[in-house]
Amino acid sequence: MARHEQGTVCDAVTEAPGSAPGSWRFERATREQPSLGRMNASVPVRASGTWLRRFLAFVGPGYMVSVGYMDPGNWATDIAGGAQFGYTLLSVILLSNLMAIVLQALAARLGIATGRDLAQACRDHYPRPVSLLLWIACEAAIIACDLAEVIGTAIALKLLFGIPLILGATITALDVFLILLLMRRGFRALEAFVIALLAVIFVCFGVQIALAAPPIQAVLGGFLPTPEIVTNPAALYIAIGIIGATVMPHNLYLHSSIVQTRAYPRDEAGRRDAIHFAVTDSTLALMLALFVNAAILIMAASVFHAQGRTDVQEIEQAYELLSPLLGAGIASTLFAVALLASGLNSTVTATLAGQIVMEGFLRLRIPDWARRLLTRALAIVPVVGVTALYGEQGTARLLVLSQVVLSMQLPFAVIPLVGFVSDKGKMGAHVIPNWLKILAWTIAAIIVALNVKLLFDTITGA
């Protein structure tokens, strides 16, 4: 299918169905380059054929989004949860993943139905000062996410190749060239790279779970909620951390944009089909993220908790103990390889999210390499400084801080998203039904409340 004319996406969706001429779905009309510029509608889709062949054209964005749900920032909470409480918190991972599936489906719906990504929608709806504050909060979240990726990748380089942490953090700046190369080869090449690394992570943890051989009955029982999660303050704290670290705010901006890379017809029927395929793609991809996060916790439970090592909380501790406790030298290596793949993958998606946010909120376009180097420098400098001053234990605390910053920003992405997709004036025929509105606002309230508690407990040391 030929790519649509630039500008028609925005023009086609600004006027509300059945409204008088000149009325708009958003406060201001967007008449500019569509989200992601030349990549918008660059991937052909089939107008006919079997359901599977049509669906395969939409496969990709969901897997790019799933990267954020298994990035290095999630590993510490999963390891600590499994080591301290066995399989008990698997139900929390399942719950947080279900929340993520709903929110990412809403982000995809917003992008396809309105022709705007979440950043553009915020800019067009809110007053200028509010949209600038939202942009600043989102940039802080992206830098915090990048911080976790720098630390995770640097730790992986140290574990695999013995590279000092400071040097490893500096080396991560070179990934800008990898991203530039992939982007020049087209969006499908970017997706293929991400999916290949996800396959590496999946295989690594699949082998580790096979080596650990956890009891199936105990694992399945862990997916059922127990009162201990609420009654035990330590379990509740880690449970809040798992949920708080699961839904990444930049993923909502990212997903609302990259679903528009498909060249589906920009009419009501085309958007309806695109929403169906995009939601299916993201749901299946996030089930992979559920497997990885659950695998990390199951591994920690079956290896550390089962042998009384409830003190294991950090990534490096897990690496050092895996092979001795499992009696297989390859276990620790697989763990580090998965960590490196996770860090590299997160780098790609965070870079793209940064571009989307800057262009969406500010209409500012700067070269990809400049944007990447700026964001990466803002993440590398704290890692190098903290490591030099406080040693490697300082970076572990910095990793926790990055997750707190992400938690602080999350409500500023979730609330606008749910508000937009619940508004018939903005979404037209694609507004979410009442049952989904209730579910979405409930999820938003739970996430906001848990993140506020996590932030309060972190500040007070509770």
Side-chain angles (χ1 to χ4, degrees):
M1 177 178 297
R3 182 179 172 181
H4 67 282
E5 294 289 329
Q6 285 189 352
T8 59
V9 178
C10 298
D11 293 344
V13 296
T14 49
E15 200 165 309
S19 62
S23 63
W24 308 99
R25 294 183 179 182
F26 286 82
E27 297 299 323
R28 288 175 293 282
T30 302
R31 297 182 182 277
E32 58 181 22
Q33 290 289 322
S35 185
L36 279 182
R38 63 182 178 82
M39 290 188 180
N40 192 285
S42 63
V43 179
V45 301
R46 290 180 174 271
S48 60
T50 64
W51 183 92
L52 179 60
R53 296 193 72 176
R54 294 175 64 202
F55 168 65
L56 289 176
F58 287 86
V59 170
Y63 291 90
M64 294 186 70
V65 167
S66 73
V67 167
Y69 294 93
M70 56 183 96
D71 75 338
N74 291 322
W75 288 42
T77 52
D78 293 336
I79 290 171
Q84 290 185 50
F85 302 103
Y87 307 102
T88 302
L89 298 182
L90 281 173
S91 59
V92 177
I93 289 180
L94 176 61
L95 174 64
S96 62
N97 203 79
L98 293 175
M99 290 180 176
I101 286 173
V102 173
L103 292 176
Q104 293 300 158
L106 298 184
R109 180 182 288 262
L110 174 71
I112 293 170
T114 68
R116 291 168 169 81
D117 57 54
L118 182 56
Q120 290 174 330
C122 288
R123 188 199 64 227
D124 288 351
H125 176 75
Y126 295 111
R128 180 72 171 171
V130 174
S131 66
L132 286 176
L133 288 174
L134 289 174
W135 168 69
I136 292 170
C138 191
E139 289 289 355
I142 290 173
I143 291 170
C145 183
D146 214 37
L147 196 66
E149 292 153 14
V150 169
I151 294 173
T153 305
I155 291 174
L157 290 173
K158 177 192 172 187
L159 298 178
L160 287 170
F161 308 111
I163 297 174
L165 210 57
I166 293 178
L167 180 58
T170 307
I171 289 173
T172 61
L174 299 177
D175 63 25
V176 65
F177 301 108
L178 171 63
I179 295 167
L180 286 173
L181 175 64
L182 290 170
M183 285 186 171
R184 286 176 181 174
R185 298 178 70 88
F187 203 77
R188 274 299 207 187
L190 200 64
E191 292 175 343
F193 176 79
V194 168
I195 292 173
L197 288 181
L198 287 176
V200 170
I201 297 170
F202 185 87
V203 170
C204 286
F205 277 109
V207 173
Q208 288 181 79
I209 291 298
L211 290 172
I216 300 300
Q217 185 174 357
V219 170
L220 295 177
F223 286 104
L224 300 176
T226 61
E228 182 187 1
I229 298 172
V230 178
T231 58
N232 186 329
L236 179 61
Y237 181 78
I238 294 181
I240 293 172
I242 289 173
I243 294 176
T246 295
V247 182
M248 294 293 181
H250 73 276
N251 262 349
L252 302 177
Y253 293 93
L254 175 69
H255 202 191
S256 62
S257 176
I258 60 178
V259 290
Q260 299 179 54
T261 58
R262 270 48 186 177
Y264 51 85
R266 262 54 178 183
D267 54 31
E268 293 304 311
R271 293 190 193 102
R272 183 176 60 252
D273 288 345
I275 290 171
H276 171 70
F277 288 126
V279 170
T280 304
D281 170 52
S282 65
T283 300
L284 293 176
L286 289 174
M287 294 307 293
L288 171 64
L290 170 63
F291 168 82
V292 171
N293 283 325
I296 296 172
L297 189 143
I298 291 169
M299 179 194 68
S302 59
V303 178
F304 306 138
H305 182 80
Q307 301 196 36
R309 293 303 306 263
T310 58
D311 59 321
V312 178
Q313 295 187 6
E314 296 179 9
I315 293 172
E316 290 189 74
Q317 281 181 291
Y319 172 84
E320 292 168 358
L321 292 172
L322 265 178
S323 287
L325 293 179
L326 280 177
I330 197 174
S332 292
T333 302
L334 289 172
F335 181 83
V337 168
L339 178 62
L340 181 59
S342 175
L344 289 173
N345 246 352
S346 301
T347 286
V348 173
T349 56
T351 298
L352 204 55
Q355 176 186 339
I356 291 162
V357 166
M358 182 171 285
E359 292 178 359
F361 276 111
L362 305 182
R363 303 186 187 180
L364 178 63
R365 296 179 184 274
I366 64 174
D368 294 340
W369 64 267
R371 163 74 205 185
R372 184 61 201 153
L373 283 178
L374 175 62
T375 306
R376 182 47 51 113
L378 291 173
I380 290 174
V381 170
V383 175
V384 172
V386 168
T387 305
L389 292 174
Y390 302 104
E392 295 178 3
Q393 289 186 343
T395 58
R397 290 192 290 270
L398 195 60
L399 188 61
V400 172
L401 177 62
S402 73
Q403 300 308 298
V404 173
V405 173
L406 283 170
S407 298
M408 290 173 62
Q409 202 278 331
L410 189 55
F412 301 107
V414 172
I415 292 174
L417 172 64
V418 177
F420 291 151
V421 296
S422 301
D423 188 340
K424 185 175 178 60
K426 292 178 172 59
M427 299 291 290
H430 306 293
V431 66
I432 59 175
N434 288 331
W435 68 267
L436 188 52
K437 289 180 187 177
I438 295 172
L439 177 60
W441 281 117
T442 301
I443 290 173
I446 291 172
I447 289 176
V448 170
L450 292 180
N451 277 281
V452 167
K453 178 171 174 52
L454 177 63
L455 177 62
F456 176 79
D457 289 347
T458 303
I459 292 174
T460 59

